[in-house]
C-alpha cells in the first residue's frame, strides 16, 4: 500500500479536488490552492537546483520570467481591472496566479517522473479518475449555468470542453488496449462536442488527425486491420450521433449556423480593435515593450482571446519574441523525442492542441494539470535517460 501513499499521488488528488471546487467557486478551493502552490514552488526550485534543462524547459523558464516581472510591476500600479463584457472586476493578483497555475505544475510532475513516482502504470490508474472528475465538473458547471440563467434553457457553451481536450493525449497510453482506447476516445469526443466550444472542437479534430496518423505509423502498430476497423466504427458512431444531435438540439444547430456564417462571437471585432489600437494609440516604447500586464482589460471589453494579440498589447514585440522562442523550444524538444514513439506521440499531441489554442483562445494561461502531467512525464522519460543528465540528490 505504501506505493499509493506518496507525494505524487497526493499532488494529483489535490489538483483533482481543486479543479472541481475552483470551477464552482467553493470556499475550500482557496486553502487547497495554497497547499498546491506550496508544493509546486518547492519542486520548481528543486528542479532548478538539481537538473539540467531541456530546450522546452529553458523556453518555459524564460517565458515565466517575463510574466513574473510584468506581473510584479502590475501589483505596484494604481489601476482598476474590469471585464466590461461580463461586468466583473479582476484582482491584480490574477495575472500571476493564472500563469503560475497553468505552467508551474510541469516542474513537480517532471520531478515525480524522474523519481519513479509517476510512470505509465500510475497514469493509467489515474486516467479513469480524471475522466470521472471532468464529467462531474461538466454537469456541475452546466447545472450552475442553468440556475443562473434568466431564461429557460439547458444548453450552454461549457469551458469544461477544453479540460476534456487536455485528456486526449492520454489515449496513447492505451495503445495496447485498442478497444478501451476507442471507447475513451468516443466518450471524450462526445463531451467536447456537448461543450459547444468551437475552439475545443477544433482542437479535437486536429487531435483525431494526429491520433489516427500516429496509430498507423508507430512501430508497435502491427495490426493495421484492427486500427482500420476501429477508425471506421468511430467515424460511423460519430456521424450518426452528430446527425441526431443536429436534429434534436436547437443550440447545436445555432452554433453550426454561426460557424457557417462566419460569426466568431465578437472575436473579429475585438481582434481588429486591439490591432488598430496597437498601431495607432501606442507609443514606440509601448509597441516594443507593451503597456503592461492585463492592459487588454484597460483598453478593451475583455481579454484578447488570442495569445499573440494579448502578449503584443501587454508585453509588446519583446514579449512576442519571447513567446516565439518558447514555441521554438517546445518544437525542438518534440523533435528530440522522435526516437520514442509513445512519448513522441503524447508530446506532439500536446504541442498541436496548445499551439492551436494560441490563435483563438488562452493557451499559456489555460493549461490544465492533466496537460502539465503529460509534459513533465514526457520530458523526464524521453530526454533524461542517463545519470550524466542529472545531479543526483535526495528529496
Amino acid at each position: 500500500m505504501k506505493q499509493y501513499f506518496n507525494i505524487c499521488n497526493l499532488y494529483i488528488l489535490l489538483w483533482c479536488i481543486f479543479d472541481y471546487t475552483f470551477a464552482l467557486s467553493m470556499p475550500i478551493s482557496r486553502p487547497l490552492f495554497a497547499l498546491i502552490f506550496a508544493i509546486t514552488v518547492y519542486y520548481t526550485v528543486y528542479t532548478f537546483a538539481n537538473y539540467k534543462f531541456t530546450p522546452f524547459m529553458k523556453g518555459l523558464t524564460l517565458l515565466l520570467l517575463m510574466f513574473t516581472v510584468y506581473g510584479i510591476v502590475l501589483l505596484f500600479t494604481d489601476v482598476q481591472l474590469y471585464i466590461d463584457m461580463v461586468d466583473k472586476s479582476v484582482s491584480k493578483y490574477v495575472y500571476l496566479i493564472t500563469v503560475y497555475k497553468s505552467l508551474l505544475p510541469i516542474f513537480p510532475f517532471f520531478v515525480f517522473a524522474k523519481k519513479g513516482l509517476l510512470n505509465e502504470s500510475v497514469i493509467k490508474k489515474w486516467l479513469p479518475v480524471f475522466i470521472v472528475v471532468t464529467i462531474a465538473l461538466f454537469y456541475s458547471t452546466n447545472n450552475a449555468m442553468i440556475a443562473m440563467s434568466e431564461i429557460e434553457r439547458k444548453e450552454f457553451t461549457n469551458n469544461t470542453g477544453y479540460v476534456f481536450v487536455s485528456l486526449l493525449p492520454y489515449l496513447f497510453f492505451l495503445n495496447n488496449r485498442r478497444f478501451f482506447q476507442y471507447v475513451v476516445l468516443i466518450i471524450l469526443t462526445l463531451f467536447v462536442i456537448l461543450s459547444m466550444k468551437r475552439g475545443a472542437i477544433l482542437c479535437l479534430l486536429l487531435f483525431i488527425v494526429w491520433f489516427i496518423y500516429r496509430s498507423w505509423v508507430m512501430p508497435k502498430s502491427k495490426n493495421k486491420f484492427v486500427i482500420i476497423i476501429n477508425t471506421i466504427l468511430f467515424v460511423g458512431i460519430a456521424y450518426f450521433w452528430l446527425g441526431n444531435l443536429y436534429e434534436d438540439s436547437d443550440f447545436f444547430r445555432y452554433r453550426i449556423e454561426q460557424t457557417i456564417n462566419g460569426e466568431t462571437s465578437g472575436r473579429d471585432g475585438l481582434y481588429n480593435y486591439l490591432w488598430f489600437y496597437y498601431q495607432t494609440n501606442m507609443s514606440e516604447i509601448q509597441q516594443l515593450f507593451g503597456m503592461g500586464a492585463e492592459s487588454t482589460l484597460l483598453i478593451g471589453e475583455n481579454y484578447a482571446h488570442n495569445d499573440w494579440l494579448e502578449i503584443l498589447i501587454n508585453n509588446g514585440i519583446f514579449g512576442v519574441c519571447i513567446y516565439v522562442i518558447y514555441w521554438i523550444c517546445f518544437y525542438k524538444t518534440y523533435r528530440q523525442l522522435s526516437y520514442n514513439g509513445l512519448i513522441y506521440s503524447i508530446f506532439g499531441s500536446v504541442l498541436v492542441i496548445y499551439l492551436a489554442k494560441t490563435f483563438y483562445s488562452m493557451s499559456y494561461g489555460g493549461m490544465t494539470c492533466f496537460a502539465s502531467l503529460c509534459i513533465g512525464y514526457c520530458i523526464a522519460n524521453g530526454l533524461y535517460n542517463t545519470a550524466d543528465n542529472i545531479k543526483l540528490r535526495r528529496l
Side-chain angles (χ1 to χ4, degrees), residues 81-90 297 300-303:
L81 302 175
Y82 208 76
I83 305 178
D84 292 334
M85 188 172 290
V86 294
D87 193 29
K88 178 183 178 183
S89 61
V90 178
L297 297 183
E301 296 181 342
N302 202 345
Y303 292 107

Side-chain angles (χ1 to χ4, degrees), residues 153-170:
R153 52 183 291 197
K154 295 183 178 181
E155 294 177 305
F156 302 85
T157 53
N158 192 323
N159 286 328
T160 311
Y162 282 113
V163 184
F164 284 108
V165 165
S166 70
L167 289 173
L168 291 170
Y170 287 80

Side-chain angles (χ1 to χ4, degrees), residues 146-262:
I146 291 174
M148 291 187 297
S149 178
E150 296 179 357
I151 59 176
E152 187 175 345
R153 52 183 291 197
K154 295 183 178 181
E155 294 177 305
F156 302 85
T157 53
N158 192 323
N159 286 328
T160 311
Y162 282 113
V163 184
F164 284 108
V165 165
S166 70
L167 289 173
L168 291 170
Y170 287 80
L171 289 169
F172 289 105
F173 287 110
L174 306 175
N175 280 340
N176 295 328
R177 303 177 64 184
R178 289 291 179 187
F179 176 77
F180 184 61
Q181 183 184 54
Y182 276 81
V183 169
V184 174
L185 175 59
I186 290 171
I187 293 172
L188 296 180
T189 298
L190 184 150
F191 279 100
V192 170
I193 294 173
L194 287 177
S195 75
M196 306 291 180
K197 296 291 292 185
R198 289 175 291 183
I201 293 172
L202 178 57
C203 288
L204 170 67
L205 294 176
L206 291 172
F207 172 81
I208 289 174
V209 173
W210 174 254
F211 173 73
I212 293 174
Y213 168 71
R214 289 301 303 165
S215 296
W216 184 261
V217 302
M218 283 178 67
K220 292 185 178 180
S221 300
K222 297 178 181 178
N223 196 339
K224 307 292 186 182
F225 179 74
V226 173
I227 296 173
I228 293 172
I229 293 300
N230 286 339
T231 303
I232 292 173
L233 287 173
F234 169 74
V235 172
I237 292 171
Y239 176 79
F240 284 108
W241 179 74
L242 285 172
N244 289 331
L245 183 64
Y246 187 83
E247 291 293 328
D248 298 336
S249 172
D250 293 334
F251 190 58
F252 183 66
R253 286 198 302 274
Y254 168 70
R255 296 291 283 176
I256 294 292
E257 290 167 3
Q258 268 190 319
T259 305
I260 294 173
N261 295 330

